[in-house]
Amino acid sequence: MCGIVGFTGAESAAQNILEGLEKLEYRGYDSAGVAVLNDGIISITKVTGRIAALKEKTNNGLALPGTTAIGHTRWATHGAPIDINAHPHISNDGRFAVVHNGIIENYMDLKVSLIKDGYRFESETDTEVVVHLLEKYYNGSMKDCIRKVAAKLKGSYALGILCTEQPNKIFATKQSSPLILGVGVGENYFASDVTALISHTQNVIYLEDGEFAEIDRESIKIYDCTGTEIKKSISHVNWDIQAAEKGGYEHFMLKEIVEQPRAVKATLTPRIRDGKIVLDDLDLDLTGIHKVLITACGSAYYAGCAGKYIIEKLCQIPVELQLASELRYSSLIINDGTLLIVLSQSGETADTIAAMKECSEKGAKTLAIVNVVGSTVAKLADYTLYTNAGPEIAVATTKGYTTQLATLYLFSVYAAGVLGRLSKEKYSQLIKELLSIPKLLQETMDMNSKIENTAKKYFNSSSMFFIGRNTDYAVALEGALKMKEISYIHAESYAAGELKHGTIALISEGTPVIALACNEDIKEKTISNMVEVKSRGARVLAVALNDDKKIAMLANDIIYVPRFDSVFSPILEVIPLQLLAYYVAKFNGCDIDKPKNLAKSVTVE
Ligand code: F6R
């Protein structure tokens, strides 16, 4: 949902900005722009399209001299993705330029009043009100001006600002949108997230809501919302540069799929010590918990769907699921006996944050399972378990999802142990199974090295169905989402038994049905549903346990996962579905890492 970056130092600012924007492109990629402050003049260059187009237009930044600049990559909310709506926006007098991530909710009222005051609007964006407000309230002090402007704004924003009267400085402030300051040597930065910074510095400062930063090449001054200067500690980010690079893979998505055994290992093994799960960060009395409520969006929600089965099975606590975008409008019973589990890779998803705040207000204890350290979700939660997946750059999540599953598994076994719901033997068996997951993930990957050939048979379909029961159904939800978001093929997931209550009418000669049949407890029932669709002409691609001859005989095609007689088997089952979606999208010539209309970090509700 838009990425912003700012630089001031001794080198070419435009080149630094372009490099940072490339790293942030996953946040939005329909238009982009850069503003450079040089010799008291702000020059702005914008393009419709990707950062590559901005690089071309500016000759890789060489056409823009200057050592202080701000930049933006956009995912359009207000106004079409065209040059005039691209950021940075400039004030009528040319003294201010602004980049913005978020939404100014009261922009219409502000716009009407600014037009009355004589300000001229060039764009359809909500952001443009900010730059005119800066012009209106500036009296020589940026600190005072920002405070006055912030008092007028409702909504979410991370703002980066240039002012011609403040040479060699960049300014930043935020409210409910992420913003990180990068502390370099002889140069300093701000950015929407650390991936834009780590090739220059791993030393960062997390700006909090209402704080304002005045940044020059030698120093960073931070003020709180009363205008008082405050000292903030510098955090060291341990993500390395390679983790945010493609490392020889054609796409980030493929690299991230392949990284899953390692990522899941990094999630599980540090928390299993001497045959026990140790969750240092979870100092919570579970005996007072009467209900678990899981909330999230998209794939994170689907990880929650798989989590529900296992928490209920192992802990015998009722688990409710609610989409974060719906939670606030539901009448769910939430109180201090509720444990809210929030799942989020980015930790910045607006709906998830809103749902979390709502539940906290009602007394629920909140446990965040989140990947990005220092993110809003992590900061808001009472307890946080990091998923340790490393940076996930491809818009479609893969290792983000499996590390969420792994963390839910850890939590389930831990909670069941604490609550005395497991015998000693069962607990030890589950620990062994957990520890074997990384190796089995690698085996799953190796077993599916030929999935590219299977994808060739399915890539030109117009519609697909993913079916399964129980945990297989939870995985089907994620499989269908992966397929549709990167290949643009209509894909629907159905609880296998539900198909015959209407949707089976859509099955005709050759319709692909991906049937998940790895859950041994209910496999026979799923087989019946496979037969039902096959008799209506469907082409069935089954996902089954290794060497399942019965399913192999029934299905048109089969994908195997290792036999893993465990409640944790869904984590393996999703791997071939990720690979299938990847290759189907590839054969369709889709832009796999940056699917159309999407952005990775959805910071608008
Ligand atoms: C799909 C995908 C999205 C995210 C969702 C939540 O591949 O990535 O559905 O899962 O937008 O994002 P986070 O986990 O960052 O809260």
Side-chain angles (χ1 to χ4, degrees), residues 297-300 343-349 352 395-397 404 478 481-482 485 600 602:
C297 299
S299 291
L343 296 154
S344 179
Q345 188 284 128
S346 63
E348 300 296 346
T349 303
T352 306
V395 165
T397 184
Q404 284 164 355
E478 173 61 3
L481 179 58
K482 282 289 87 78
E485 69 181 326
K600 187 151 186 74
V602 186

Side-chain angles (χ1 to χ4, degrees), residues 449-461 464 483 489 512 514 539 541 557 559 579-588:
S449 58
K450 303 224 163 56
I451 209 162
E452 195 170 348
N453 294 335
T454 315
K456 280 187 188 138
K457 299 184 199 165
Y458 291 87
F459 82 96
N460 56 8
S461 314
M464 289 186 190
M483 184 60 75
I489 292 173
I514 321 301
R539 181 180 182 104
L541 166 58
D557 297 291
I559 297 172
L579 287 164
L580 182 72
Y582 174 81
Y583 285 111
V584 165
K586 190 172 163 189
F587 294 137
N588 279 305

Side-chain angles (χ1 to χ4, degrees), residues 182-201:
V183 185
V185 178
E187 57 190 32
N188 288 311
Y189 306 79
F190 66 74
S192 298
D193 99 21
V194 290
T195 47
L197 302 174
I198 47 176
S199 59
H200 296 279
T201 178

Side-chain angles (χ1 to χ4, degrees), residues 67-205:
T67 56
T68 302
I70 56 176
H72 188 270
T73 181
R74 182 167 186 248
W75 186 86
T77 56
H78 296 61
I82 49 175
D83 283 15
I84 51 154
N85 292 326
H87 304 208
H89 294 286
I90 191 152
S91 58
N92 290 163
D93 64 3
R95 278 189 302 163
F96 299 91
V98 162
V99 287
H100 168 216
N101 170 34
I103 289 184
I104 307 299
E105 287 166 4
N106 60 337
Y107 83 102
M108 279 307 279
D109 295 343
L110 292 169
K111 189 167 177 172
V112 169
S113 127
L114 284 161
I115 289 171
K116 264 194 209 143
D117 291 344
Y119 291 93
R120 203 179 57 252
F121 278 75
E122 307 284 346
S123 77
E124 304 155 285
T125 64
D126 52 326
T127 305
E128 201 184 337
V129 296
V130 178
V131 82
H132 300 312
L133 286 171
L134 288 168
E135 180 180 335
K136 180 172 171 175
Y137 289 113
Y138 186 71
N139 60 2
S141 156
M142 273 306 277
K143 190 176 76 179
D144 294 347
C145 176
I146 298 272
R147 281 179 64 208
K148 285 180 192 150
V149 172
K152 295 277 169 201
L153 302 178
K154 291 204 178 103
S156 60
Y157 52 82
L159 294 168
I161 302 162
L162 290 179
C163 172
T164 53
E165 292 179 18
Q166 306 276 348
N168 306 320
K169 282 186 183 172
I170 50 177
F171 300 92
T173 188
K174 76 171 276 279
Q175 186 67 44
S176 305
S177 287
L179 198 62
I180 291 153
L181 312 180
V183 185
V185 178
E187 57 190 32
N188 288 311
Y189 306 79
F190 66 74
S192 298
D193 99 21
V194 290
T195 47
L197 302 174
I198 47 176
S199 59
H200 296 279
T201 178
Q202 289 177 304
N203 295 326
V204 301
I205 297 172

